[in-house]
Amino acid sequence: MKDQANAPQTELLVCVKCRRGQEIPSDARRPGQYLYDEITALETPEGVSVTPVECLQNCDHGCTVALRGGDARWTYVFANVDEVSHPKMILDGAAQYQETADGVIPWRQRPEHFKRNCVARIPPVTLPETLPEETNND
Amino acid sequence: MKDQANAPQTELLVCVKCRRGQEIPSDARRPGQYLYDEITALETPEGVSVTPVECLQNCDHGCTVALRGGDARWTYVFANVDEVSHPKMILDGAAQYQETADGVIPWRQRPEHFKRNCVARIPPVTLPETLPEETNND
């Protein structure tokens, strides 16, 4: 699985407009922006970049991040991200994603939060004929 | 917005493994497969193709479809799709999506189901500096 040298860059998308369902004063920093600030204050794993996004439209279950990385990888969207306790976990997960060829982090190695809070995944543009098995119930 | 002639093909992804939370006998047709069968039995709009996918991991709110169409468009994931009443609406929405340059169907023209059941959207790979305004609350 480790073809990191040849793999496209992993992009971690962070919804910076997320209010996480709260009333936020217009001049206050939103939870999504806080999350982005905390993530970018940490060291970014090799091969990973962080992109602020205006709305990933998972507004009822924010904060929200997504991982993508080229036409051969699945894109994953993760909900219920906490801006205080989760930034390091998200970056560690992004590093694991970057180590995969297809974007599918092996289930047992996947962060628990990723297992429980995946709201959707989008197949690679270059969809292989045999799809990797996903277990969402164990 | 209508640059259909030059626009990349729109891909309608349909999760064919969806059980919609039901216990389904192993030899029975799943709701997701039923949805795919119904959609492909109808006339596909020009510029749209339909792709069966094994799991979009929106299992708690299936059936699920996604729309994507090249690097310049947003990808959208829609939940709670009904295999009996929604196939035509989904194809009409796919045709509207195909008419856009950026994948953002104007809010007032968007199918009601799309407005209420978008679980996530993924920005274009070629993210414009100015993002289109989305209204999720009106």
Side-chain angles (χ1 to χ4, degrees), chain A residues 74 76 78 104-118 121 131-138, chain B residues 17 19 30 54-60:
Chain A
W74 288 79
Y76 281 82
F78 300 110
V104 182
I105 303 169
W107 186 259
R108 284 159 189 252
Q109 297 163 34
R110 200 173 296 188
E112 283 301 317
H113 190 85
F114 283 17
K115 291 182 184 174
R116 309 282 169 224
N117 295 276
C118 177
R121 62 174 196 161
L131 299 173
E133 192 73 28
E134 279 277 301
T135 308
N136 204 19
N137 303 314
D138 73 7
Chain B
K17 294 292 187 188
R19 294 187 176 92
R30 296 183 180 195
E54 295 242 334
C55 182
L56 294 169
Q57 281 198 0
N58 178 48
C59 310
D60 292 341

Side-chain angles (χ1 to χ4, degrees), chain A residues 13 51 53-59 68 74-77 110 118-125 127 131 134 136, chain B residues 13 51-59 68 74-77 118-125 127 131 134 136:
Chain A
L13 302 158
T51 304
V53 183
E54 295 240 335
C55 182
L56 293 170
Q57 281 199 359
N58 177 47
C59 309
R68 68 175 169 192
W74 288 79
T75 296
Y76 281 82
V77 184
R110 200 173 296 188
C118 177
V119 288
R121 62 174 196 161
I122 312 288
V125 172
L127 189 65
L131 299 173
E134 279 277 301
N136 204 19
Chain B
L13 302 158
T51 305
V53 183
E54 295 242 334
C55 182
L56 294 169
Q57 281 198 0
N58 178 48
C59 310
R68 69 177 169 191
W74 287 79
T75 295
Y76 281 82
V77 184
C118 177
V119 288
R121 60 174 196 162
I122 312 289
V125 172
L127 190 65
L131 299 174
E134 278 278 301
N136 205 18

Side-chain angles (χ1 to χ4, degrees), chain A residues 9-127:
Chain A
Q9 182 101 352
T10 290
E11 192 177 14
L12 171 61
L13 302 158
V14 181
C15 181
V16 294
K17 293 292 186 186
C18 190
R19 296 186 175 92
R20 208 193 305 101
Q22 301 164 26
E23 290 290 328
I24 307 282
S26 61
D27 60 346
R29 185 166 62 158
R30 295 183 180 195
Q33 184 66 49
Y34 189 117
L35 174 65
Y36 176 77
D37 294 344
E38 291 295 309
I39 285 174
T40 51
L42 296 172
E43 192 178 352
T44 308
E46 197 176 327
V48 176
S49 65
V50 186
T51 304
V53 183
E54 295 240 335
C55 182
L56 293 170
Q57 281 199 359
N58 177 47
C59 309
D60 292 342
H61 304 283
C63 296
T64 306
V65 302
L67 284 170
R68 68 175 169 192
D71 284 353
R73 284 195 179 114
W74 288 79
T75 296
Y76 281 82
V77 184
F78 300 110
N80 303 312
V81 178
D82 184 84
E83 68 272 25
V84 175
S85 61
H86 286 163
K88 178 71 165 59
M89 176 274 292
I90 294 292
L91 285 171
D92 289 346
Q96 287 181 287
Y97 181 94
Q98 171 65 6
E99 285 184 5
T100 70
D102 58 6
V104 182
I105 303 169
W107 186 259
R108 284 159 189 252
Q109 297 163 34
R110 200 173 296 188
E112 283 301 317
H113 190 85
F114 283 17
K115 291 182 184 174
R116 309 282 169 224
N117 295 276
C118 177
V119 288
R121 62 174 196 161
I122 312 288
V125 172
T126 53
L127 189 65

Side-chain angles (χ1 to χ4, degrees), chain B residues 9-100:
Chain B
Q9 182 102 351
T10 290
E11 193 177 12
L12 170 62
L13 302 158
V14 181
C15 180
V16 295
K17 294 292 187 188
C18 190
R19 294 187 176 92
R20 207 195 305 102
Q22 301 165 27
E23 290 291 328
I24 307 282
S26 61
D27 60 346
R29 186 167 61 159
R30 296 183 180 195
Q33 184 66 50
Y34 190 117
L35 175 65
Y36 176 78
D37 294 344
E38 292 294 309
I39 285 175
T40 51
L42 296 172
E43 191 178 351
T44 308
E46 197 177 325
V48 175
S49 65
V50 186
T51 305
V53 183
E54 295 242 334
C55 182
L56 294 169
Q57 281 198 0
N58 178 48
C59 310
D60 292 341
H61 305 282
C63 297
T64 306
V65 302
L67 284 170
R68 69 177 169 191
D71 285 352
R73 285 195 179 112
W74 287 79
T75 295
Y76 281 82
V77 184
F78 300 110
N80 302 312
V81 178
D82 184 82
E83 67 273 23
V84 176
S85 60
H86 287 163
K88 177 73 166 57
M89 175 275 291
I90 294 291
L91 285 171
D92 289 346
Q96 288 182 286
Y97 181 94
Q98 172 65 4
E99 285 184 5
T100 69

